[in-house]
Amino acid sequence: MSLTSIVVPTTPFEGQKPGTSGLRKKVAVFMEKHYTENFIQCILDAQKGKTQGCTLIVGGDGRYFTTQSINIIIRIASANGVSKLIIGRRGLLSTPAVSSLIRTHKCLGGIVLTASHNPGGIRNDFGIKYNIDNGGPAPDQMTNDIYELTEKITQYRITPDLDCDFQQPGVQSFEVDGREFVVEVIDPVEDYVQLMKAIFDFEKLRCLLSGTETTPPFNVLIDSMNGVTGVYVKRIFLEELGSNQDSAVRIIPLDNFGEIHPDPNLTYAKDLVDKVKEDTRYDFGAAFDGDGDRNMIIGKNAFFVTPSDSLAVVANNLDCIPYFRKNGVHGFARSMPTAAAVDRVAERLKKEMFEVPTGWKYFGNLMDAGRLSLCGEESFGTGSDHIREKDGIWAVLAWLSIIEHKRMSVEDILKEHWRTYGRNYFTRYDYEECESGDANKMMSHLESFIADPRATGKSFSSCGKTYVIKQADNFSYVDPIDDSVAKNQGIRILFEDGSRLIYRLSGTGSSGATIRIYIDSYEKVDTTTDAQVTLKPLVTIALQISKLKEFTGREEPTVIT
């Protein structure tokens, strides 16, 4: 049967500007007539003709509106000269798996259907982002191009009569406008599992988790929070590594994530934290977000590992992972708000160290240039150059490899690390869904504060401690590979003792504004005090300087991590 595409007139929608990682809005917004079609057409148009005859990867975390979106993508891609789509069965692909598939199949890119750690379901959030041919998120120039196209779009091309089933693996071919158009539906897990087997020693990990004649099983509790990682956890941890069947929970992907917030932190993964704390059988706990790129690590009795410390520990122990023994270690990087714990590891190991803006896309150029092997963000993201996205399951397998190699508990590994390097105490206060006008007024106030030359040298005191400002600015970054510039990436107040306050408006929300305040302080000797106690003076000063309560009326943060 020969199908014919048509041209549909349309008009622009306001606000289709991709944020830190794609376009995120309420489901109801994406369901508006022409809204999703417009954005997909603009993604394809931004490729400037490269879509002709290309292959794209399509998949996501399975949240509500995934099926409808994939049908739209199939029909619009077929009408715009795309030759082939590779789609995860039932539309499921973790974000790390999409990155891997793009690289493996040498595709032009991929369309990822996720709002990451944001809530799902018909009343909540949906998201669409584009990953380029290296497997990483689209760089600023491309997202700017997409946004400019959304502001002036007048039509989109679509094949309205093309119906394609993507519930089971297989290959389907269609004739559209006289051209062949192919949809290949694949197992979402297989390629990713093979990649993990090439990186880690699965035999050693299996002995760790399932036990041997001389060692008991290392008991883990893995929480997929009803997101896409459930299908990967089932295959890797239960089938490949032989972990106990009760070691994985919430592994069935649900389109509303079971009405929970799929964000792996101490607030939203409280069920996991409580269970590991209450049940002393568990030696280790981990949680993932909706699309599988974020992770949280806890040890026995729910000993919490901050993402900043997690990155530093992994960096310090890469020699126990076969992939790095084979390929070497070329450098480390972190996002600017992330505490500088990994910097100290880089210095000792004599590796290059990079500080980049928030957003995984800023790591890609460094990896492609062979200058970066391991990187992370304080927002529970860790990854390496095996792909160009952060990777939650990879991070857990890295930690388990370290535990297997060192034969130490999570807590003992951290304490040993702190004795060697000192400790960067770190916390983040999130104020979610603030009124946008109020949040912007607060940021304007902070801009005025740092622009005043009298800010340098100014002192602030709280709880018997005094901090003197050494430097204050709005972080900017010049990419050392292509010289591209990213400005206004977060207001920094740096104190003479190395402590820092960072203020940012998040680019990952779907409505309102999320204010994030990052507080960290380095201690060489006192490394075992509760972080919230150590950082209380700086928290008080951070709120005093920003006048957050005055501008927003908020008494308490939504989340503390």
Side-chain angles (χ1 to χ4, degrees):
M1 178 180 176
S2 180
L3 300 170
T4 302
S5 67
I6 63 172
V7 174
V8 178
T10 189
T11 55
F13 290 85
E14 288 187 8
Q16 287 194 324
K17 183 175 178 59
T20 305
S21 197
L23 179 68
R24 296 181 188 173
K25 301 287 182 182
K26 295 297 183 185
V27 167
V29 175
F30 278 99
M31 293 177 72
E32 292 178 30
K33 188 175 181 179
H34 303 312
Y35 189 92
T36 300
E37 289 87 345
N38 277 20
F39 193 68
I40 296 300
Q41 182 67 60
C42 291
I43 287 176
L44 299 182
D45 287 345
Q47 309 313 309
K48 300 176 180 176
K50 294 180 182 178
T51 54
Q52 300 300 313
C54 80
T55 298
L56 296 174
I57 306 295
V58 179
D61 57 21
R63 66 179 58 230
Y64 189 87
F65 200 61
T66 294
T67 298
Q68 299 94 314
S69 291
I70 292 178
N71 281 322
I72 290 170
I73 291 167
I74 291 171
R75 291 166 183 159
I76 290 184
S78 68
N80 281 271
V82 173
S83 177
K84 183 177 182 180
L85 296 180
I86 299 175
I87 302 175
R89 180 172 62 90
R90 294 191 290 126
L92 296 177
L93 282 173
S94 72
T95 293
V98 170
S99 182
S100 175
L101 286 165
I102 292 171
R103 296 171 64 79
T104 300
H105 291 271
K106 296 180 170 52
C107 300
L108 177 67
I111 298 175
V112 194
L113 305 171
T114 179
S116 188
H117 55 293
N118 293 12
I122 193 169
R123 299 184 309 278
N124 288 308
D125 299 347
F126 189 72
I128 300 175
K129 75 169 183 172
Y130 184 74
N131 282 29
I132 60 173
D133 57 359
N134 75 349
D140 290 337
Q141 184 57 58
M142 183 173 289
T143 57
N144 290 338
D145 288 346
I146 293 170
Y147 178 51
E148 289 177 10
L149 288 166
T150 68
E151 293 187 300
K152 57 188 179 185
I153 186 171
T154 60
Q155 63 182 37
Y156 58 83
R157 298 191 66 88
I158 192 166
T159 311
D161 297 326
L162 198 164
D163 291 317
C164 179
D165 176 31
F166 47 88
Q167 298 303 306
Q168 296 299 330
V171 178
Q172 301 166 66
S173 295
F174 306 88
E175 184 181 320
V176 178
D177 298 335
R179 292 176 280 99
E180 184 183 38
F181 174 69
V182 176
V183 174
E184 182 179 0
V185 181
I186 64 168
D187 181 317
V189 176
E190 186 61 36
D191 285 54
Y192 181 81
V193 170
Q194 296 310 315
L195 176 62
M196 292 301 104
K197 284 184 173 182
I199 294 172
F200 300 101
D201 188 330
F202 266 45
E203 184 55 39
K204 285 184 177 180
L205 293 177
R206 184 178 181 84
C207 290
L208 174 71
L209 295 187
S210 59
T212 66
E213 291 181 357
T214 57
T215 59
F218 185 80
N219 293 314
V220 303
L221 185 60
I222 310 292
D223 187 353
S224 288
M225 302 188 81
N226 300 317
V228 73
T229 58
V231 295
Y232 299 85
V233 166
K234 180 175 183 293
R235 170 72 183 277
I236 292 174
F237 292 93
L238 302 186
E239 298 174 13
E240 296 283 348
L241 300 180
S243 191
N244 295 329
Q245 290 298 310
D246 63 353
S247 66
V249 296
R250 298 195 283 199
I251 62 172
I252 298 175
L254 301 175
D255 68 2
N256 65 352
F257 306 115
E259 295 292 336
I260 67 168
H261 193 145
D263 195 354
N265 58 45
L266 294 173
T267 298
Y268 295 125
K270 188 175 182 298
D271 288 354
L272 171 76
V273 174
D274 289 347
K275 193 163 186 178
V276 173
K277 186 179 295 185
E278 294 163 3
D279 194 334
T280 57
R281 290 178 303 161
Y282 291 114
D283 303 298
F284 179 94
F288 308 112
D289 67 340
D291 67 324
D293 58 357
R294 298 176 186 232
N295 74 93
M296 179 179 73
I297 305 292
I298 56 176
K300 200 173 188 67
N301 303 313
F303 182 88
F304 175 60
V305 182
T306 71
S308 301
D309 277 335
S310 180
L311 176 62
V313 168
V314 174
N316 197 47
N317 292 280
L318 288 178
D319 57 344
C320 71
I321 298 173
Y323 175 88
F324 295 102
R325 289 201 299 270
K326 177 182 177 181
N327 297 305
V329 178
H330 307 297
F332 303 132
R334 60 172 172 83
S335 65
M336 179 273 290
T338 303
V342 69
D343 300 41
R344 306 179 200 288
V345 178
E347 182 179 8
R348 175 169 289 204
L349 299 181
K350 296 180 170 55
K351 302 296 181 184
E352 267 195 300
M353 182 69 220
F354 301 94
E355 181 182 37
V356 308
T358 295
W360 212 259
K361 55 193 171 187
Y362 296 105
F363 297 124
N365 272 0
L366 295 166
M367 289 182 175
D368 291 345
R371 294 175 66 179
L372 175 59
S373 294
L374 178 75
C375 53
E377 295 181 335
E378 53 68 40
S379 54
F380 294 83
T382 318
S384 88
D385 60 356
H386 68 290
I387 56 173
R388 297 296 182 267
E389 287 276 9
K390 49 186 174 278
D391 190 343
I393 287 178
W394 176 93
V396 170
L397 292 173
W399 260 96
L400 292 174
S401 298
I402 294 167
I403 290 165
E404 190 279 332
H405 180 75
K406 296 178 76 71
R407 298 292 171 178
M408 295 168 64
S409 70
V410 171
E411 182 173 354
D412 287 343
I413 290 171
L414 257 297
K415 288 181 176 178
E416 177 190 69
H417 188 89
W418 293 335
R419 285 194 297 271
T420 302
Y421 291 99
R423 180 178 178 184
N424 280 85
Y425 285 92
F426 178 87
T427 191
R428 188 182 89 190
Y429 278 40
D430 289 3
Y431 297 82
E432 296 176 349
E433 296 190 348
C434 295
E435 201 282 317
S436 296
D438 294 340
N440 287 323
K441 288 177 183 175
M442 189 197 87
M443 296 302 289
S444 294
H445 158 71
L446 286 167
E447 287 281 7
S448 298
F449 179 85
I450 65 172
D452 187 340
R454 293 173 296 179
T456 302
K458 196 168 185 178
S459 65
F460 293 85
S461 298
S462 177
C463 306
K465 296 197 72 172
T466 298
Y467 300 86
V468 179
I469 294 178
K470 179 181 179 181
Q471 178 185 345
D473 61 19
N474 198 330
F475 181 65
S476 63
Y477 174 71
V478 179
D479 190 297
I481 309 304
D482 63 13
D483 293 324
S484 59
V485 179
K487 296 182 178 180
N488 302 319
Q489 294 297 310
I491 289 175
R492 304 189 302 171
I493 298 175
L494 313 179
F495 296 99
E496 289 182 351
D497 71 342
S499 300
R500 302 187 311 161
L501 301 177
I502 312 293
Y503 303 86
R504 291 182 63 250
L505 294 186
S506 171
T508 61
S510 65
S511 62
T514 295
I515 298 171
R516 301 198 199 282
I517 305 178
Y518 311 81
I519 303 105
D520 76 81
S521 182
Y522 176 70
E523 295 285 347
K524 177 61 180 173
V525 179
D526 177 16
T527 61
T528 57
T529 304
D530 180 87
Q532 295 302 323
V533 172
T534 297
L535 295 172
K536 185 178 179 181
L538 273 172
V539 170
T540 301
I541 292 168
L543 297 175
Q544 177 187 345
I545 291 174
S546 66
K547 299 184 178 179
L548 183 140
K549 180 180 176 181
E550 178 180 325
F551 283 107
T552 69
R554 301 290 284 269
E555 294 280 352
E556 300 290 340
T558 314
V559 179
I560 298 176
T561 52

